[in-house]
Amino acid sequence: ELSQLPPEEIQASLDGAPLSVRTLGRSEQGIFYVYMLDVSASIPDAHFYAARDAVTAAYERLREQDKMALITFGNEVTLLLRGDEGREEAASALQSLKNRDNRTKFYDAMDTLIALVSQTSDMRRVAVVISDGIDDTDAGMTQEELEEELRQSGVSVSAMCLDSAQES
């Protein structure tokens, strides 16, 4: 609980320049979380199911003002959850996920993310990408172009890389 920390104990910077923190409080603004889950077979089963369970746990911890979407990507890009599903429907959809696809359409999934978050302006937007980082498709854009599109979208993106080494 960060709101219990005195402001003078918090250090922050922007582009290397120190920022001053005057107050710290809990925001009641809703957060639109978009989880992006790689469903390709290049991810070992144990890693995939641990990631799927972590996404499920994150869904269960949402506050009333938050919502969560889920984009899966492999052979196809699918908007599996839009954020307006009931808990049972979302839990069922998450439990049905398998990592069986032969391809990984990462860049196409990022396009879907950008289109989705551009429809939401009244909430903070946060994306979490869970993948082994492999894109084996013709992306149609460079990494630099993707980074620029993400900057312009205003979504904060965090990535979690799953080790694609085979389980022993």
Side-chain angles (χ1 to χ4, degrees), residues 106-107 139 141-151:
F106 176 77
Y107 279 84
M141 75 171 76
T142 66
Q143 180 177 339
E144 292 77 20
E145 290 169 330
L146 173 60
E147 289 172 2
E148 181 57 29
E149 283 191 38
L150 286 169
R151 264 191 294 283

Side-chain angles (χ1 to χ4, degrees), residues 81-112:
L81 301 174
R82 297 191 64 80
D84 54 5
E85 297 80 10
R87 290 202 181 271
E88 287 182 25
E89 182 183 353
S92 176
L94 284 162
Q95 287 306 306
S96 71
L97 290 174
K98 307 278 187 230
N99 58 324
R100 302 288 181 250
D101 289 1
N102 297 320
R103 306 208 52 208
T104 308
K105 293 188 173 185
F106 176 77
Y107 279 84
D108 289 346
M110 296 305 282
D111 282 341
T112 301

